[in-house]
Amino acid sequence: MLIGNKILRYAEIDSTNAEVKRLAEISAVENGNVVAAALQTAGRGRRGRLWESPLGGLYFSVFLTPPNLPNLAGHIAMLTGASVASVVNELAPGAPCRLKWCNDVVAPGRGGQGWRKLSGLLAESVFFGEELEYIIMGIGININSVSQPNSVSCLELGAGVSPEGLLPLVLRELDKNYALLGTAGFEAVSGKYRELCVNVGKEVRVFIDAQVTEGFCRGITPDGHMLVETAGGLITVHAGTATVRGEDGYS
Ligand code: BTN
């Protein structure tokens, strides 16, 4: 097993992604190593946001040194989301976890208030010139409580599991899917992602940098991009965030 071949555990850290980066800068971390913490004091979210990380959640980062392939960090983040969703679906009655393009693991909130975030994923790539040096794949999962708005926890879904119990399950699934990515390419692992994606067939609002586009999600390409039919025609969205109509203030 590559992913999780060594696990460094901390009672408290600023951010597991930041710690992996510090270790990488002094060559003290190897391909597949994991840094996990019981709590983070400065957990990093996407778009410079803070990821609240109190005791009781699962916070960890994987250090990876893959070959430099197009959109690799995106593919790794997507297969990580699919891995987390699959594992929690094995544990929770009714397999409620889905994926919201491109990097959120979601499940229905209590009282059916739409999709709530169960897990956040942050893939950070570090380059030396044009050369990809490494990728840090950071994963935060709400286990017993939620600390971010619009979130849901494993406990609320009926998946009774501790952070220590969930970590090896996610690492095993991630390792399996990452190995498949290496041998067969993203198309071989994207089926699960596409099957669980909540955007497909829905009206979506897509945020690409400062631009907002609305349309109908016609699917996810085998390469992981989102196809959106807009008033101006079919577009392929490579990166960004998307909300589904009826949620997050999009009515
Ligand atoms: C998001 O904004 O959805 C991404 C959140 C990613 C949080 C995880 S927790 C473990 C790892 N360390 C960090 O500082 N961030 C990621």
PDB file of all heavy atoms in Angstrom, residues 14-18 40 42-47 49 51 53 58-61 103-104 117 119-122 124 137-141, ligand 1:
ATOM      1  N   ASP A  14      -1.112  23.440  13.052  1.00  0.00           N
ATOM      2  CA  ASP A  14      -1.813  24.549  12.390  1.00  0.00           C
ATOM      3  C   ASP A  14      -2.650  24.002  11.240  1.00  0.00           C
ATOM      4  O   ASP A  14      -3.864  24.194  11.169  1.00  0.00           O
ATOM      5  CB  ASP A  14      -0.833  25.654  11.950  1.00  0.00           C
ATOM      6  CG  ASP A  14       0.331  25.147  11.104  1.00  0.00           C
ATOM      7  OD1 ASP A  14       0.504  23.905  10.975  1.00  0.00           O
ATOM      8  OD2 ASP A  14       1.079  25.978  10.560  1.00  0.00           O
ATOM      9  N   SER A  15      -1.974  23.301  10.303  1.00  0.00           N
ATOM     10  CA  SER A  15      -2.654  22.725   9.141  1.00  0.00           C
ATOM     11  C   SER A  15      -1.835  21.518   8.685  1.00  0.00           C
ATOM     12  O   SER A  15      -0.600  21.623   8.576  1.00  0.00           O
ATOM     13  CB  SER A  15      -2.722  23.781   8.027  1.00  0.00           C
ATOM     14  OG  SER A  15      -2.664  23.194   6.750  1.00  0.00           O
ATOM     15  N   THR A  16      -2.491  20.401   8.438  1.00  0.00           N
ATOM     16  CA  THR A  16      -1.736  19.217   7.992  1.00  0.00           C
ATOM     17  C   THR A  16      -1.124  19.469   6.610  1.00  0.00           C
ATOM     18  O   THR A  16      -0.033  18.987   6.317  1.00  0.00           O
ATOM     19  CB  THR A  16      -2.626  17.954   7.977  1.00  0.00           C
ATOM     20  OG1 THR A  16      -3.783  18.214   7.170  1.00  0.00           O
ATOM     21  CG2 THR A  16      -3.048  17.552   9.374  1.00  0.00           C
ATOM     22  N   ASN A  17      -1.805  20.258   5.755  1.00  0.00           N
ATOM     23  CA  ASN A  17      -1.211  20.591   4.451  1.00  0.00           C
ATOM     24  C   ASN A  17       0.078  21.401   4.650  1.00  0.00           C
ATOM     25  O   ASN A  17       1.092  21.149   3.995  1.00  0.00           O
ATOM     26  CB  ASN A  17      -2.181  21.414   3.595  1.00  0.00           C
ATOM     27  CG  ASN A  17      -3.106  20.540   2.760  1.00  0.00           C
ATOM     28  OD1 ASN A  17      -3.484  19.459   3.187  1.00  0.00           O
ATOM     29  ND2 ASN A  17      -3.481  21.006   1.580  1.00  0.00           N
ATOM     30  N   ALA A  18       0.013  22.380   5.586  1.00  0.00           N
ATOM     31  CA  ALA A  18       1.188  23.217   5.834  1.00  0.00           C
ATOM     32  C   ALA A  18       2.327  22.379   6.405  1.00  0.00           C
ATOM     33  O   ALA A  18       3.497  22.562   6.042  1.00  0.00           O
ATOM     34  CB  ALA A  18       0.828  24.348   6.793  1.00  0.00           C
ATOM     35  N   GLN A  40      -6.834  21.070  14.108  1.00  0.00           N
ATOM     36  CA  GLN A  40      -6.013  22.057  13.401  1.00  0.00           C
ATOM     37  C   GLN A  40      -6.379  23.454  13.907  1.00  0.00           C
ATOM     38  O   GLN A  40      -7.559  23.777  14.064  1.00  0.00           O
ATOM     39  CB  GLN A  40      -6.274  22.014  11.904  1.00  0.00           C
ATOM     40  CG  GLN A  40      -5.936  20.700  11.221  1.00  0.00           C
ATOM     41  CD  GLN A  40      -6.164  20.768   9.720  1.00  0.00           C
ATOM     42  OE1 GLN A  40      -5.262  20.543   8.938  1.00  0.00           O
ATOM     43  NE2 GLN A  40      -7.381  21.082   9.312  1.00  0.00           N
ATOM     44  N   ALA A  42      -5.275  26.247  12.244  1.00  0.00           N
ATOM     45  CA  ALA A  42      -5.376  27.125  11.073  1.00  0.00           C
ATOM     46  C   ALA A  42      -5.605  26.273   9.827  1.00  0.00           C
ATOM     47  O   ALA A  42      -4.858  26.351   8.850  1.00  0.00           O
ATOM     48  CB  ALA A  42      -4.112  27.970  10.931  1.00  0.00           C
ATOM     49  N   GLY A  43      -6.659  25.435   9.887  1.00  0.00           N
ATOM     50  CA  GLY A  43      -6.973  24.563   8.749  1.00  0.00           C
ATOM     51  C   GLY A  43      -7.272  25.400   7.505  1.00  0.00           C
ATOM     52  O   GLY A  43      -7.962  26.410   7.593  1.00  0.00           O
ATOM     53  N   ARG A  44      -6.725  24.973   6.394  1.00  0.00           N
ATOM     54  CA  ARG A  44      -6.900  25.745   5.154  1.00  0.00           C
ATOM     55  C   ARG A  44      -8.037  25.183   4.321  1.00  0.00           C
ATOM     56  O   ARG A  44      -8.089  23.983   4.068  1.00  0.00           O
ATOM     57  CB  ARG A  44      -5.656  25.628   4.280  1.00  0.00           C
ATOM     58  CG  ARG A  44      -4.447  26.283   4.830  1.00  0.00           C
ATOM     59  CD  ARG A  44      -3.373  26.111   3.757  1.00  0.00           C
ATOM     60  NE  ARG A  44      -2.067  26.425   4.278  1.00  0.00           N
ATOM     61  CZ  ARG A  44      -0.947  26.080   3.663  1.00  0.00           C
ATOM     62  NH1 ARG A  44      -0.978  25.384   2.536  1.00  0.00           N
ATOM     63  NH2 ARG A  44       0.211  26.431   4.165  1.00  0.00           N
ATOM     64  N   GLY A  45      -8.902  26.080   3.861  1.00  0.00           N
ATOM     65  CA  GLY A  45      -9.941  25.684   2.925  1.00  0.00           C
ATOM     66  C   GLY A  45      -9.604  26.210   1.540  1.00  0.00           C
ATOM     67  O   GLY A  45      -8.571  26.856   1.353  1.00  0.00           O
ATOM     68  N   ARG A  46     -10.461  25.940   0.585  1.00  0.00           N
ATOM     69  CA  ARG A  46     -10.223  26.468  -0.765  1.00  0.00           C
ATOM     70  C   ARG A  46     -10.498  27.964  -0.787  1.00  0.00           C
ATOM     71  O   ARG A  46     -11.174  28.490   0.071  1.00  0.00           O
ATOM     72  CB  ARG A  46     -11.112  25.728  -1.774  1.00  0.00           C
ATOM     73  CG  ARG A  46     -10.729  24.264  -1.894  1.00  0.00           C
ATOM     74  CD  ARG A  46     -11.193  23.655  -3.218  1.00  0.00           C
ATOM     75  NE  ARG A  46     -12.620  23.727  -3.408  1.00  0.00           N
ATOM     76  CZ  ARG A  46     -13.494  22.847  -2.932  1.00  0.00           C
ATOM     77  NH1 ARG A  46     -13.077  21.819  -2.205  1.00  0.00           N
ATOM     78  NH2 ARG A  46     -14.774  22.977  -3.167  1.00  0.00           N
ATOM     79  N   ARG A  47      -9.983  28.615  -1.815  1.00  0.00           N
ATOM     80  CA  ARG A  47     -10.137  30.065  -2.006  1.00  0.00           C
ATOM     81  C   ARG A  47      -9.756  30.868  -0.760  1.00  0.00           C
ATOM     82  O   ARG A  47     -10.420  31.825  -0.385  1.00  0.00           O
ATOM     83  CB  ARG A  47     -11.569  30.412  -2.447  1.00  0.00           C
ATOM     84  CG  ARG A  47     -11.876  29.901  -3.862  1.00  0.00           C
ATOM     85  CD  ARG A  47     -13.302  30.132  -4.254  1.00  0.00           C
ATOM     86  NE  ARG A  47     -14.226  29.371  -3.458  1.00  0.00           N
ATOM     87  CZ  ARG A  47     -14.434  28.049  -3.583  1.00  0.00           C
ATOM     88  NH1 ARG A  47     -13.786  27.369  -4.499  1.00  0.00           N
ATOM     89  NH2 ARG A  47     -15.285  27.434  -2.816  1.00  0.00           N
ATOM     90  N   ARG A  49     -10.032  30.295   2.311  1.00  0.00           N
ATOM     91  CA  ARG A  49     -10.910  30.260   3.484  1.00  0.00           C
ATOM     92  C   ARG A  49     -10.274  29.449   4.608  1.00  0.00           C
ATOM     93  O   ARG A  49      -9.408  28.613   4.369  1.00  0.00           O
ATOM     94  CB  ARG A  49     -12.248  29.616   3.123  1.00  0.00           C
ATOM     95  CG  ARG A  49     -13.051  30.497   2.220  1.00  0.00           C
ATOM     96  CD  ARG A  49     -14.467  29.955   2.092  1.00  0.00           C
ATOM     97  NE  ARG A  49     -15.129  30.618   0.990  1.00  0.00           N
ATOM     98  CZ  ARG A  49     -15.901  30.022   0.101  1.00  0.00           C
ATOM     99  NH1 ARG A  49     -16.126  28.741   0.177  1.00  0.00           N
ATOM    100  NH2 ARG A  49     -16.458  30.708  -0.871  1.00  0.00           N
ATOM    101  N   TRP A  51     -10.615  26.509   7.361  1.00  0.00           N
ATOM    102  CA  TRP A  51     -11.397  25.290   7.578  1.00  0.00           C
ATOM    103  C   TRP A  51     -11.392  25.020   9.080  1.00  0.00           C
ATOM    104  O   TRP A  51     -10.385  24.609   9.639  1.00  0.00           O
ATOM    105  CB  TRP A  51     -10.783  24.123   6.793  1.00  0.00           C
ATOM    106  CG  TRP A  51     -11.525  22.834   6.961  1.00  0.00           C
ATOM    107  CD1 TRP A  51     -11.218  21.819   7.816  1.00  0.00           C
ATOM    108  CD2 TRP A  51     -12.696  22.409   6.248  1.00  0.00           C
ATOM    109  NE1 TRP A  51     -12.129  20.795   7.691  1.00  0.00           N
ATOM    110  CE2 TRP A  51     -13.050  21.135   6.744  1.00  0.00           C
ATOM    111  CE3 TRP A  51     -13.491  22.983   5.256  1.00  0.00           C
ATOM    112  CZ2 TRP A  51     -14.150  20.422   6.263  1.00  0.00           C
ATOM    113  CZ3 TRP A  51     -14.585  22.267   4.785  1.00  0.00           C
ATOM    114  CH2 TRP A  51     -14.900  21.003   5.275  1.00  0.00           C
ATOM    115  N   SER A  53     -11.475  23.346  12.411  1.00  0.00           N
ATOM    116  CA  SER A  53     -11.058  21.950  12.607  1.00  0.00           C
ATOM    117  C   SER A  53     -10.980  21.572  14.079  1.00  0.00           C
ATOM    118  O   SER A  53      -9.900  21.303  14.613  1.00  0.00           O
ATOM    119  CB  SER A  53      -9.677  21.745  11.967  1.00  0.00           C
ATOM    120  OG  SER A  53      -9.594  22.306  10.683  1.00  0.00           O
ATOM    121  N   LEU A  58     -11.934  14.515  11.283  1.00  0.00           N
ATOM    122  CA  LEU A  58     -10.760  13.838  10.716  1.00  0.00           C
ATOM    123  C   LEU A  58     -10.060  14.802   9.771  1.00  0.00           C
ATOM    124  O   LEU A  58     -10.687  15.322   8.833  1.00  0.00           O
ATOM    125  CB  LEU A  58     -11.202  12.569   9.966  1.00  0.00           C
ATOM    126  CG  LEU A  58     -10.111  11.782   9.234  1.00  0.00           C
ATOM    127  CD1 LEU A  58      -8.990  11.352  10.169  1.00  0.00           C
ATOM    128  CD2 LEU A  58     -10.707  10.545   8.550  1.00  0.00           C
ATOM    129  N   TYR A  59      -8.771  15.051  10.013  1.00  0.00           N
ATOM    130  CA  TYR A  59      -8.003  16.013   9.219  1.00  0.00           C
ATOM    131  C   TYR A  59      -6.692  15.349   8.836  1.00  0.00           C
ATOM    132  O   TYR A  59      -5.913  14.961   9.718  1.00  0.00           O
ATOM    133  CB  TYR A  59      -7.718  17.289  10.040  1.00  0.00           C
ATOM    134  CG  TYR A  59      -8.929  17.770  10.800  1.00  0.00           C
ATOM    135  CD1 TYR A  59      -9.008  17.628  12.185  1.00  0.00           C
ATOM    136  CD2 TYR A  59     -10.016  18.319  10.126  1.00  0.00           C
ATOM    137  CE1 TYR A  59     -10.137  18.025  12.884  1.00  0.00           C
ATOM    138  CE2 TYR A  59     -11.153  18.715  10.818  1.00  0.00           C
ATOM    139  CZ  TYR A  59     -11.203  18.560  12.197  1.00  0.00           C
ATOM    140  OH  TYR A  59     -12.333  18.936  12.876  1.00  0.00           O
ATOM    141  N   PHE A  60      -6.452  15.205   7.552  1.00  0.00           N
ATOM    142  CA  PHE A  60      -5.169  14.608   7.163  1.00  0.00           C
ATOM    143  C   PHE A  60      -4.779  15.036   5.759  1.00  0.00           C
ATOM    144  O   PHE A  60      -5.609  15.520   4.973  1.00  0.00           O
ATOM    145  CB  PHE A  60      -5.202  13.083   7.290  1.00  0.00           C
ATOM    146  CG  PHE A  60      -6.119  12.371   6.328  1.00  0.00           C
ATOM    147  CD1 PHE A  60      -5.622  11.770   5.178  1.00  0.00           C
ATOM    148  CD2 PHE A  60      -7.484  12.289   6.567  1.00  0.00           C
ATOM    149  CE1 PHE A  60      -6.447  11.092   4.295  1.00  0.00           C
ATOM    150  CE2 PHE A  60      -8.327  11.626   5.689  1.00  0.00           C
ATOM    151  CZ  PHE A  60      -7.816  11.031   4.556  1.00  0.00           C
ATOM    152  N   SER A  61      -3.498  14.864   5.462  1.00  0.00           N
ATOM    153  CA  SER A  61      -2.958  15.231   4.149  1.00  0.00           C
ATOM    154  C   SER A  61      -2.043  14.126   3.667  1.00  0.00           C
ATOM    155  O   SER A  61      -1.310  13.528   4.457  1.00  0.00           O
ATOM    156  CB  SER A  61      -2.150  16.528   4.243  1.00  0.00           C
ATOM    157  OG  SER A  61      -2.945  17.564   4.771  1.00  0.00           O
ATOM    158  N   ASN A 103     -15.231  19.449  -6.042  1.00  0.00           N
ATOM    159  CA  ASN A 103     -14.481  18.827  -4.956  1.00  0.00           C
ATOM    160  C   ASN A 103     -15.182  18.730  -3.614  1.00  0.00           C
ATOM    161  O   ASN A 103     -14.514  18.717  -2.589  1.00  0.00           O
ATOM    162  CB  ASN A 103     -13.172  19.604  -4.730  1.00  0.00           C
ATOM    163  CG  ASN A 103     -12.127  19.226  -5.738  1.00  0.00           C
ATOM    164  OD1 ASN A 103     -12.219  18.163  -6.342  1.00  0.00           O
ATOM    165  ND2 ASN A 103     -11.161  20.078  -5.934  1.00  0.00           N
ATOM    166  N   ASP A 104     -16.502  18.661  -3.583  1.00  0.00           N
ATOM    167  CA  ASP A 104     -17.171  18.548  -2.284  1.00  0.00           C
ATOM    168  C   ASP A 104     -17.879  17.205  -2.157  1.00  0.00           C
ATOM    169  O   ASP A 104     -18.537  16.755  -3.094  1.00  0.00           O
ATOM    170  CB  ASP A 104     -18.231  19.646  -2.113  1.00  0.00           C
ATOM    171  CG  ASP A 104     -17.614  21.025  -1.962  1.00  0.00           C
ATOM    172  OD1 ASP A 104     -16.457  21.109  -1.520  1.00  0.00           O
ATOM    173  OD2 ASP A 104     -18.296  22.012  -2.289  1.00  0.00           O
ATOM    174  N   LYS A 117     -22.399  19.875   3.187  1.00  0.00           N
ATOM    175  CA  LYS A 117     -21.027  19.378   2.957  1.00  0.00           C
ATOM    176  C   LYS A 117     -20.570  18.445   4.086  1.00  0.00           C
ATOM    177  O   LYS A 117     -20.664  18.801   5.262  1.00  0.00           O
ATOM    178  CB  LYS A 117     -20.122  20.607   2.871  1.00  0.00           C
ATOM    179  CG  LYS A 117     -18.737  20.341   2.374  1.00  0.00           C
ATOM    180  CD  LYS A 117     -18.209  21.608   1.726  1.00  0.00           C
ATOM    181  CE  LYS A 117     -16.730  21.712   1.786  1.00  0.00           C
ATOM    182  NZ  LYS A 117     -16.241  22.849   0.988  1.00  0.00           N
ATOM    183  N   SER A 119     -17.463  16.685   3.618  1.00  0.00           N
ATOM    184  CA  SER A 119     -15.995  16.646   3.561  1.00  0.00           C
ATOM    185  C   SER A 119     -15.485  17.684   2.572  1.00  0.00           C
ATOM    186  O   SER A 119     -16.102  17.903   1.525  1.00  0.00           O
ATOM    187  CB  SER A 119     -15.570  15.244   3.108  1.00  0.00           C
ATOM    188  OG  SER A 119     -14.213  15.205   2.767  1.00  0.00           O
ATOM    189  N   GLY A 120     -14.396  18.341   2.934  1.00  0.00           N
ATOM    190  CA  GLY A 120     -13.760  19.311   2.047  1.00  0.00           C
ATOM    191  C   GLY A 120     -12.396  18.794   1.619  1.00  0.00           C
ATOM    192  O   GLY A 120     -11.691  18.139   2.401  1.00  0.00           O
ATOM    193  N   LEU A 121     -12.036  19.068   0.378  1.00  0.00           N
ATOM    194  CA  LEU A 121     -10.781  18.554  -0.191  1.00  0.00           C
ATOM    195  C   LEU A 121      -9.958  19.706  -0.750  1.00  0.00           C
ATOM    196  O   LEU A 121     -10.502  20.576  -1.440  1.00  0.00           O
ATOM    197  CB  LEU A 121     -11.097  17.578  -1.333  1.00  0.00           C
ATOM    198  CG  LEU A 121     -12.138  16.495  -1.017  1.00  0.00           C
ATOM    199  CD1 LEU A 121     -12.524  15.755  -2.277  1.00  0.00           C
ATOM    200  CD2 LEU A 121     -11.591  15.532   0.016  1.00  0.00           C
ATOM    201  N   LEU A 122      -8.689  19.705  -0.438  1.00  0.00           N
ATOM    202  CA  LEU A 122      -7.803  20.763  -0.925  1.00  0.00           C
ATOM    203  C   LEU A 122      -6.531  20.140  -1.483  1.00  0.00           C
ATOM    204  O   LEU A 122      -5.706  19.620  -0.733  1.00  0.00           O
ATOM    205  CB  LEU A 122      -7.460  21.715   0.237  1.00  0.00           C
ATOM    206  CG  LEU A 122      -6.503  22.858  -0.070  1.00  0.00           C
ATOM    207  CD1 LEU A 122      -7.125  23.828  -1.074  1.00  0.00           C
ATOM    208  CD2 LEU A 122      -6.127  23.594   1.207  1.00  0.00           C
ATOM    209  N   GLU A 124      -3.055  20.749  -3.295  1.00  0.00           N
ATOM    210  CA  GLU A 124      -2.083  21.816  -3.567  1.00  0.00           C
ATOM    211  C   GLU A 124      -0.902  21.219  -4.326  1.00  0.00           C
ATOM    212  O   GLU A 124      -0.310  20.227  -3.877  1.00  0.00           O
ATOM    213  CB  GLU A 124      -1.604  22.448  -2.255  1.00  0.00           C
ATOM    214  CG  GLU A 124      -2.746  23.108  -1.492  1.00  0.00           C
ATOM    215  CD  GLU A 124      -2.278  23.884  -0.272  1.00  0.00           C
ATOM    216  OE1 GLU A 124      -2.178  23.280   0.806  1.00  0.00           O
ATOM    217  OE2 GLU A 124      -1.999  25.079  -0.410  1.00  0.00           O
ATOM    218  N   MET A 137      -2.500  16.341  -0.933  1.00  0.00           N
ATOM    219  CA  MET A 137      -3.960  16.148  -0.975  1.00  0.00           C
ATOM    220  C   MET A 137      -4.493  16.213   0.450  1.00  0.00           C
ATOM    221  O   MET A 137      -4.269  15.302   1.248  1.00  0.00           O
ATOM    222  CB  MET A 137      -4.246  14.781  -1.632  1.00  0.00           C
ATOM    223  CG  MET A 137      -5.710  14.481  -1.881  1.00  0.00           C
ATOM    224  SD  MET A 137      -6.483  15.612  -3.027  1.00  0.00           S
ATOM    225  CE  MET A 137      -7.736  16.369  -1.982  1.00  0.00           C
ATOM    226  N   GLY A 138      -5.182  17.310   0.788  1.00  0.00           N
ATOM    227  CA  GLY A 138      -5.703  17.507   2.142  1.00  0.00           C
ATOM    228  C   GLY A 138      -7.182  17.162   2.218  1.00  0.00           C
ATOM    229  O   GLY A 138      -7.964  17.516   1.326  1.00  0.00           O
ATOM    230  N   ILE A 139      -7.555  16.473   3.281  1.00  0.00           N
ATOM    231  CA  ILE A 139      -8.930  15.978   3.419  1.00  0.00           C
ATOM    232  C   ILE A 139      -9.443  16.292   4.824  1.00  0.00           C
ATOM    233  O   ILE A 139      -8.790  15.957   5.822  1.00  0.00           O
ATOM    234  CB  ILE A 139      -8.960  14.441   3.189  1.00  0.00           C
ATOM    235  CG1 ILE A 139      -8.448  14.130   1.788  1.00  0.00           C
ATOM    236  CG2 ILE A 139     -10.375  13.870   3.389  1.00  0.00           C
ATOM    237  CD1 ILE A 139      -7.669  12.863   1.669  1.00  0.00           C
ATOM    238  N   GLY A 140     -10.586  16.921   4.902  1.00  0.00           N
ATOM    239  CA  GLY A 140     -11.231  17.172   6.190  1.00  0.00           C
ATOM    240  C   GLY A 140     -12.619  16.543   6.164  1.00  0.00           C
ATOM    241  O   GLY A 140     -13.368  16.742   5.202  1.00  0.00           O
ATOM    242  N   ILE A 141     -12.956  15.767   7.192  1.00  0.00           N
ATOM    243  CA  ILE A 141     -14.267  15.099   7.224  1.00  0.00           C
ATOM    244  C   ILE A 141     -14.948  15.394   8.571  1.00  0.00           C
ATOM    245  O   ILE A 141     -14.339  15.234   9.631  1.00  0.00           O
ATOM    246  CB  ILE A 141     -14.135  13.565   7.033  1.00  0.00           C
ATOM    247  CG1 ILE A 141     -13.316  13.245   5.760  1.00  0.00           C
ATOM    248  CG2 ILE A 141     -15.516  12.906   6.952  1.00  0.00           C
ATOM    249  CD1 ILE A 141     -13.061  11.756   5.516  1.00  0.00           C
TER     250      ILE A 141
HETATM  251  C1  BTN B   1     -12.625  23.199   1.305  1.00  0.00           C
HETATM  252  O1  BTN B   1     -12.576  24.426   1.373  1.00  0.00           O
HETATM  253  O2  BTN B   1     -13.660  22.597   1.063  1.00  0.00           O
HETATM  254  C2  BTN B   1     -11.359  22.386   1.527  1.00  0.00           C
HETATM  255  C3  BTN B   1     -11.133  22.046   2.964  1.00  0.00           C
HETATM  256  C4  BTN B   1      -9.924  21.165   3.174  1.00  0.00           C
HETATM  257  C5  BTN B   1      -9.644  20.922   4.633  1.00  0.00           C
HETATM  258  C6  BTN B   1      -8.548  19.899   4.865  1.00  0.00           C
HETATM  259  S1  BTN B   1      -8.445  19.446   6.567  1.00  0.00           S
HETATM  260  C7  BTN B   1      -6.940  18.627   6.268  1.00  0.00           C
HETATM  261  C8  BTN B   1      -6.145  19.464   5.289  1.00  0.00           C
HETATM  262  N1  BTN B   1      -5.365  20.457   5.979  1.00  0.00           N
HETATM  263  C9  BTN B   1      -5.774  21.704   5.740  1.00  0.00           C
HETATM  264  O3  BTN B   1      -5.280  22.728   6.227  1.00  0.00           O
HETATM  265  N2  BTN B   1      -6.812  21.669   4.879  1.00  0.00           N
HETATM  266  C10 BTN B   1      -7.138  20.328   4.470  1.00  0.00           C
END
